[in-house]
Structures are given as C-alpha cells and as structure tokens.
Amino acid sequence: MAAANPAESLRDEASCSICLDYFTDPVTIDCGHNFCRSCITQSWEGRDTDFPCPQCRETSQQRNLRSNRQLVNITEIVKKLSETSVRPKEENLCEEHEEKLKLFCEEDQKMICIICRESRDHRSHTVIPIKEAVQEYKEKLKMHLEPLRKDLEDLLKFTSTEEKKAEELKSETERKRQIVESQFEELHQFLNKEKQILLSRLEEDEKKILQRITEHVTQLEEQSSSLMQLITEIEEKSQQPANELLKDVKDALSRCQKMTFPVPEAVSTDLKLGFQLSFPQQLKKWITKFGGFDWWIEFGSYTVNVTLDPETAHPNLVLSQDRKTVVWGVTKQNVPNTAERFDTYPYVLGSEGFTSGRRYWEVEVGDVSYWTLGVCKDSVRRKGRITLSPGEGFWTVELWNKQRCWALTSPETELPLSVIPRAVGILLDYEAGKVSFYDAGDKSHLFTFTDTFTGKLRPFFWTNSEFPLRIRQVPAWN
C-alpha cells in the first residue's frame, strides 16, 4: 500500500529495507534493488556463491555491488525535505492535550505528551523519548529480522530441495516406466515367438495324427470291402442247389478260414505324444531363479559378462581357462612382471572397463573365508603397498574370517549382517556416482558407496583362499 502522503512515500523510497534508515553509500545489486553497502555486505557475510536479494529473494551467482550516485543525491534531498516539511497536526499533537508527542510509554506502547507523562495513567510507567524508543525498537526489529530472513532462506532451500525431489521422482518414474515398457515389449515378443513355435508344433502333430488316421481308415475300408465280397459269395453259395453247393465247397470254406483280420487298433489322438506345454514351467523357474520381476526391472537389463584379466593377476593367483574363476596357488607362477600386474597383494581386475551407464554382475564366494570385491579406477597403483579406500580409487566390500563384513570406507564401516552371503551382486551406476552391493541370494541390499567417478572403472577381486571365487552367469531371459 502507498504511504499516507507523498512525503512519506518519498522517505520510504530513500530508505534501506534492511536497516530501515536513510541510505548510506547506497549500492544496486543484480536484481535492481538498492541497499546500504554495509547492510548488504553484512547480509552476505560468509557466502562465496548464491547471493540472495533480501527484498525479492532473487539469487545472483556473482557479488556485484554497483554504487548508485543518483540515489545518494536523492537521499540528501529527501532528508532536507523531511526536516522542513510540516506534518499534519494529528500526527504530532496529543489528541487530548494538543501538546507535541515527544515521549513513548513502554507499558502502554503508545506515544504521549509531557502532560500525559504526569497524569495518573502514565506516572508509574517507564517513559523514554520517542527518538530513543525508535532507535531501540529499530535495533530489536533488526535483531529479529535476521533470524526471520534465515528461516525464510532455510524454508526456500527446503522447498527447492523438495521440488528437486519431485523432479527426480518424476525422472526416475519415467526411466523405470520406459524400462518396464521395454522389458515387457521384449517379453511380449518372446511370448509371441514361443506361441508361434508351439502352434506350429501343434499343427505338425495334428497333420501327422490325421495322416495316420487316414491311412488306418483306408486300410480298414480295404479289409471291409474284401470281407463284404466274401460274405456275398458265401451267401450265394449257401443258396445254390445241392450239386452246385457241394461243388468247390472245400475251396469256399478254405477261403473263409484264411480270411482273418487283426483286431483294429485305434490311432491315439493325444497331442501330448508330440507336443508338451513346457514353457509355463520354464517361465516359472526362470522368474524364481532370476529373483522376480521387480529384480528383473531394476537390474535385468544391466547385466554384463565379466571376465578376469590375467595381465593384472598377482603371480600366486590361478585363473581358470574361461577366466571366470580365481584361486590362491601356493607356488608363484612364472609370469612377466609388467606394469599392469599387482605384485604385492593377491589382486586381479576384470577385463572389462566402464565409463558410463549401469552395469551389474555377480560373484559366487561360497566357502571363501577372506575376500574383497568391488570396483576400482583403471589407473590405481599396481606395485608396493596399496590402501583400499575411495580416496585411492577403490570402492570395495570385504569379508574377514567368514564372520565380519566391512565396507572399506575411510574409516571402515562394519556391515551388520545376520547371514554372510554366498554370492554377491555388484551394481555400478556411473552417472549417479554409486556402487551398490547386494546379497545375490535374497537380493537384499548390503551397502552403497556414493562418489563422483571420472575415467575408466574396472571390477576388482581379492582372495587368498584355495576355495574359488567365481563370476557367475546371471540368468538371462532367453
């Protein structure tokens, strides 16, 4: 709302919204609002970026303070006008005594004149000059103003955070929706393919059975025709006179005795003889083994085929021919001591390197008592003493003596596991800066590292056990 009169409006325009007094060395910030240089500097104290305007809350990335010389002149003019202006009577005079209002009663919180001060109503009250009261309450208001601004800033930040959460949720929902649609489209295509295969088998079985039935019917019709012909001949023979009947009668009887037919055997029409609906059972087994559709949607499309890199393996580590299994060998192998090979600890890396996207693989740990699994930078040290920590480029989880499990953070984080996993799932989300570990048996979450990744990351393995660590094939849809 506009002030009561133009003079008041002009005074407001020449006043700083922080100290509520006339501008002193006024400056203009990026949004166009003006403040005393000392007021805005104090308001931004401790900030290196994101400088909010105390008036409109617009945020600037740079600390830009531009001197406003024109406003300096205007402020001086307003001060002089304020000193010479005649204020309305009702603003300066006591309504009851028509004396100038010079005092402020703190108990009644009102301005009073000298006569009011001596009256019974105010005699026992604390009364101070108006100028002192104004200054005192300005300071008090100023003291309350900063916490209120801080509360507002916190609320705005919290609101911004919640809005970001909403956007992230929408984005994640859209991503998973696309995954669901994509995966179920693949499922639909697979089911259609299986349907066509099974319908084709059904049609082939039908044709085969119909062909056997047709052949059988043709055979039976031929036998029936022969039998009907013999019956007709015998009937005619039995109606002949004695001399004709007895003539060649032995031949007729002989043909009756020789005319034998096997007992008809019906052709089975059971289509299961050549066709079995095994797909539903296979699908059920697959879903159970794969951890269910929820797991498939979350991880199924990110599975990768990981193999071990023999060029990085410590000399005591023995890799299988398919490079899927590693065990500790008592005797060191005679292998070249290249820059890629670990020479102090029994480490080995995966052959595959990842610089983007999501990747998931599983490792069977079985009866191995000591193991460490995870990912590391391709550029990590290979020689001498190595510390497994995110600061050194390692994001790993460790089992110690088959009893305690640790995430190798700095410092280490013990994982409260009721059951030690026999297989571990590892999910790398490069863009999100996350490495997550799961019990591959029940798909329960073990731990997640959060960091910012740069460069190539590779799967990491450590073992000193005669029992094998094996990278297992994650069940595929088809």
Side-chain angles (χ1 to χ4, degrees):
M1 289 180 65
N5 57 62
E8 283 296 321
S9 298
L10 195 56
R11 176 184 168 83
D12 290 343
E13 290 299 321
S15 299
C16 172
S17 62
I18 296 178
C19 66
L20 306 178
D21 205 346
Y22 288 119
F23 285 115
T24 301
D25 189 10
V27 291
T28 305
I29 63 176
D30 287 348
C31 65
H33 285 113
N34 303 290
F35 304 94
C36 299
R37 184 182 295 274
S38 60
C39 291
I40 192 64
T41 301
Q42 184 178 358
S43 175
W44 287 350
E45 187 175 358
R47 292 179 176 272
D48 295 324
T49 184
D50 294 335
F51 300 98
C53 171
Q55 196 162 337
C56 68
R57 311 309 299 173
E58 182 177 324
T59 301
S60 303
Q61 297 301 314
Q62 303 280 332
R63 184 189 180 113
N64 294 327
L65 301 178
R66 299 185 300 277
S67 294
N68 194 328
R69 298 183 183 281
Q70 192 172 9
L71 190 54
V72 172
N73 299 331
I74 293 173
T75 302
E76 291 302 319
I77 293 171
V78 172
K79 285 181 180 179
K80 291 177 180 178
L81 287 174
S82 180
E83 291 172 0
T84 58
S85 62
V86 179
R87 297 183 178 274
K89 260 187 163 185
E90 56 271 17
E91 287 188 7
N92 294 317
L93 300 181
C94 174
E95 292 181 359
E96 183 178 353
H97 305 110
E98 294 188 359
E99 291 287 334
K100 208 165 187 179
L101 299 172
K102 294 184 177 181
L103 304 173
F104 181 76
C105 176
E106 292 199 338
E107 276 77 357
D108 292 335
Q109 290 287 293
K110 64 181 291 187
M111 292 187 295
I112 61 175
C113 67
I114 295 175
I115 298 175
C116 291
R117 172 71 181 88
E118 300 303 323
S119 67
R120 291 180 180 179
D121 292 340
H122 300 285
R123 190 177 299 165
S124 60
H125 293 175
T126 301
V127 175
I128 59 176
I130 286 177
K131 285 186 178 181
E132 291 183 15
V134 168
Q135 189 61 34
E136 178 183 335
Y137 281 100
K138 271 188 180 180
E139 292 297 326
K140 288 182 179 179
L141 290 173
K142 197 172 180 180
M143 287 174 57
H144 287 287
L145 196 58
E146 192 58 32
L148 291 174
R149 286 196 179 114
K150 183 65 171 62
D151 290 342
L152 176 60
E153 184 177 345
D154 291 342
L155 285 173
L156 291 174
K157 283 183 180 179
F158 185 75
T159 302
S160 176
T161 301
E162 293 300 301
E163 289 173 348
K164 285 180 181 178
K165 281 184 183 178
E167 291 301 319
E168 289 173 0
L169 175 63
K170 290 178 182 177
S171 176
E172 182 67 8
T173 302
E174 176 62 20
R175 185 184 68 80
K176 289 196 173 182
R177 184 189 67 76
Q178 292 176 359
I179 291 173
V180 170
E181 289 183 352
S182 173
Q183 297 288 7
F184 274 88
E185 178 60 28
E186 290 181 18
L187 175 61
H188 181 67
Q189 293 175 3
F190 177 76
L191 291 175
N192 275 338
K193 183 179 177 181
E194 286 293 315
K195 172 185 172 183
Q196 295 305 318
I197 291 172
L198 297 179
L199 288 176
S200 176
R201 289 179 186 173
L202 182 63
E203 188 176 351
E204 289 176 5
D205 283 355
E206 180 191 26
K207 287 180 180 178
K208 289 178 182 178
I209 294 173
L210 285 176
Q211 183 178 355
R212 287 201 295 271
I213 291 174
T214 300
E215 292 173 353
H216 198 198
V217 168
T218 300
Q219 182 183 0
L220 291 174
E221 286 178 347
E222 291 176 354
Q223 291 176 350
S224 297
S225 177
S226 300
L227 186 58
M228 289 173 63
Q229 184 178 352
L230 179 59
I231 290 172
T232 301
E233 291 179 7
I234 296 302
E235 286 178 346
E236 290 177 353
K237 188 71 172 176
S238 63
Q239 298 298 323
Q240 291 177 349
N243 60 334
E244 292 292 331
L245 186 146
L246 294 174
K247 185 180 177 180
D248 299 328
V249 70
K250 285 186 176 181
D251 181 58
L253 291 172
S254 175
R255 282 192 291 119
C256 287
Q257 292 170 352
K258 290 179 180 180
M259 183 68 74
T260 59
F261 301 97
V263 178
E265 183 177 340
V267 176
S268 173
T269 58
D270 187 359
L271 292 173
K272 289 184 180 180
L273 289 175
F275 169 74
Q276 294 181 349
L277 286 172
S278 59
F279 172 70
Q281 289 77 19
Q282 292 172 352
L283 179 61
K284 184 176 180 181
K285 288 180 181 177
W286 179 87
I287 294 172
T288 303
K289 187 176 182 182
F290 206 45
F293 281 111
D294 288 343
W295 187 91
W296 171 41
I297 291 170
E298 187 66 27
F299 303 104
S301 60
Y302 308 127
T303 57
V304 289
N305 180 31
V306 172
T307 55
L308 300 170
D309 182 0
E311 299 299 321
T312 64
H314 183 275
N316 280 95
L317 294 181
V318 180
L319 309 186
S320 62
Q321 188 172 359
D322 64 358
R323 296 194 292 160
K324 290 286 188 177
T325 300
V326 57
V327 296
W328 169 264
V330 177
T331 306
K332 279 191 175 184
Q333 302 174 88
N334 185 18
V335 293
N337 186 19
T338 62
E340 293 293 308
R341 191 178 306 281
F342 292 99
D343 65 353
T344 305
Y345 302 102
Y347 300 159
V348 60
L349 302 184
S351 300
E352 296 69 25
F354 310 118
T355 57
S356 64
R358 286 188 168 193
R359 303 289 187 271
Y360 178 82
W361 62 95
E362 293 180 350
V363 182
E364 292 180 3
V365 295
D367 295 318
V368 179
S369 299
Y370 300 87
W371 51 255
T372 305
L373 302 171
V375 300
C376 70
K377 290 184 177 181
D378 184 49
S379 59
V380 294
R381 293 176 54 235
R382 312 294 172 91
K383 309 298 182 183
R385 183 176 179 81
I386 299 172
T387 301
L388 301 184
S389 69
E392 297 294 324
F394 297 87
W395 296 269
T396 57
V397 166
E398 172 186 84
L399 178 71
W400 190 257
N401 197 25
K402 230 178 184 182
Q403 295 177 346
R404 303 177 77 180
C405 201
W406 305 81
L408 299 185
T409 52
S410 297
E412 298 172 347
T413 303
E414 184 169 5
L415 307 182
L417 304 181
S418 57
V419 177
I420 300 300
R422 297 185 63 82
V424 178
I426 302 165
L427 175 66
L428 167 64
D429 190 337
Y430 194 98
E431 280 75 15
K434 293 181 180 180
V435 182
S436 299
F437 296 82
Y438 299 85
D439 184 331
D442 60 12
K443 307 301 184 245
S444 59
H445 177 254
L446 303 178
F447 188 79
T448 294
F449 288 90
T450 302
D451 213 322
T452 300
F453 300 137
T454 57
K456 184 188 296 184
L457 301 184
R458 296 174 67 176
F460 175 86
F461 307 83
W462 174 89
T463 181
N464 62 356
S465 174
E466 60 183 2
F467 294 107
L469 282 181
R470 178 166 182 80
I471 304 166
R472 73 181 187 181
Q473 182 67 38
V474 178
W477 169 248
N478 54 5

